[in-house]
Amino acid sequence: MQNAKDTFYITLRSRLATVNPARVMTLRSVSRPGILVADAEPPMPQPILDAFSLSWTGLEADLQLPAILVQMTCEIQYSTAGTVLNAGLDRGRTLEEMDYEILKLLYPYSAQKMNYAQNPAVAMDTMVFWSEPQFGPAVTLRDRLSRSVRVTVFAFQEQGEL
Amino acid sequence: MSTSTITPMPALPPVGRSVRAYFAPVDRVHHLPTLFDPSVNGRFSVSAPPAPWIALGWIENFVRKSASKFADLVTGSPGTAQFQVRQTVDATVAFRFKAWSKLSMALAAGSQHMNLIVPASGAAPNGSGSKGVPPVNLTAGSTATFLSLAASDAAGFSAGSLVTVDVDYAAQTGYVGSGVYAAYVTSAAAVNSDPDYVRRVTFNVARVTSVVTTGSAPGLTLAQPLLAGVPAATMRVQPISGFVDREGGSFFQEWSALFVIDGEQGERILFHYPRLQSMAGPAESATALASPLERIALDATFRALPVTDANDGEQVVCFRSFLPSPVALV
């Protein structure tokens, strides 16, 4: 399952670098595409603005298939306060930009499963695939607009895979 | 000397999770199904069925129906039913195959199931596949999982490709196909005397895991053993890209079937149909996963045909066996 999670994250991160190279964040003194996996970063009191944060929540498995089909829920959260240049009055627009970026990051809805625990990464036999996004409502908290998107990620467990 | 004792439980309702399906060929020429004897093999490991049974995994929506008809014999005035008779013996079974494979697709389709032979250059298009690339010959040393070929022939295949392995069609009539009878040919003209016809319908197919083109033993290593076992020297090999079935056709697949439900307390229920023939054309149904993703299953419906029980000469279409839990009263 970890290979599927890693593949999903790296796929979205690679696509983000193409879709919007300007969306970068600095985390632990490293500048990188503005997308992170929450459980792979230190706890944060507030979400990073203008970046996508992936959280793995639900998990189901269909054991009655020739290979186990796992179904994992990924919640992608993002927040924005708009730009300083516009005194935050453009936060609706910047949220809409991120909504559109999510659509572009998720399509195509599949990727070759990779084992990133090895260096260089090794292509596995099956594809990771996912549902279309379910957008939650925009939530306002003081000067911030946030949204959560739910995606269900599927992968077949391969022989010997952890 | 010591003996162990048990404290028996009352008979309990079986609680099972799912149904597993196993199929085995029927010798159509000699009308010999594969019989499953629950007194011998009833407790077989579900992941290692006894030969020649082939595991087709879990199935869903499993429904058995008895369609036998009964009548009463009425005598006296007023008429009173005094006896019952069986007018007909009939049964059907329906379920969905979760996984698609050559065998599950053929069983569900019910008629001839064809292999899509990689087409020859410029071949005329055809719904069930056009004329294929020329087959290659086997050389000595082939096994059920290794096809020995000339190095130059092996070089025409790649790891991951699919192959069909069977004899040339040579104007024979009747059942054709090695290992499993895959079709019935009424005349050579009906199949255009196509030398590839047997390879087009055969169940003797496999995926190639590796190709050796150098050294003393060039050939193809297969991911799964061929259904017909060690290939005959007269068999030839062609690459295929997939499978096709049709609504229509005159042939009926006939297979022996075994369905197993394991109970949570160690009991086992087995349903054995020595002869099943499909009674519906190809159909599928979808199970929603997460919109718009759906899992597509193969719908299958069969009619059970009779065999004679050697114990008492009765004509029956199905055997239901129950192996009780080790601790339950019977």
Side-chain angles (χ1 to χ4, degrees), chain A residues 85-105:
Chain A
L85 186 67
N86 291 302
L89 300 180
D90 57 353
R91 57 187 183 279
R93 286 176 174 273
T94 52
L95 186 74
E96 190 278 335
E97 280 175 21
M98 298 184 83
D99 293 340
Y100 187 50
E101 281 174 23
I102 277 290
L103 289 173
K104 294 174 84 171
L105 299 188

Side-chain angles (χ1 to χ4, degrees), chain B residues 58-137:
Chain B
W58 283 282
I59 55 173
E60 57 191 356
N61 295 14
F62 178 70
V63 178
R64 290 175 358 106
K65 283 187 181 167
S66 167
S68 298
K69 290 192 172 68
F70 297 80
D72 49 5
L73 288 178
V74 178
T75 60
S77 178
T80 307
Q82 299 287 349
F83 302 99
Q84 277 203 111
V85 294
R86 281 191 172 80
Q87 281 189 323
T88 60
V89 176
D90 192 8
T92 61
V93 58
F95 55 86
R96 303 200 312 169
F97 285 112
K98 287 185 161 189
W100 289 50
S101 66
K102 165 75 182 176
L103 183 50
S104 62
M105 202 177 163
L107 285 161
S111 189
Q112 299 98 325
H113 189 255
M114 296 183 168
N115 306 313
L116 287 169
I117 299 173
V118 171
S121 177
N126 186 53
S128 61
S130 47
K131 298 292 181 194
V133 294
V136 298
N137 294 323

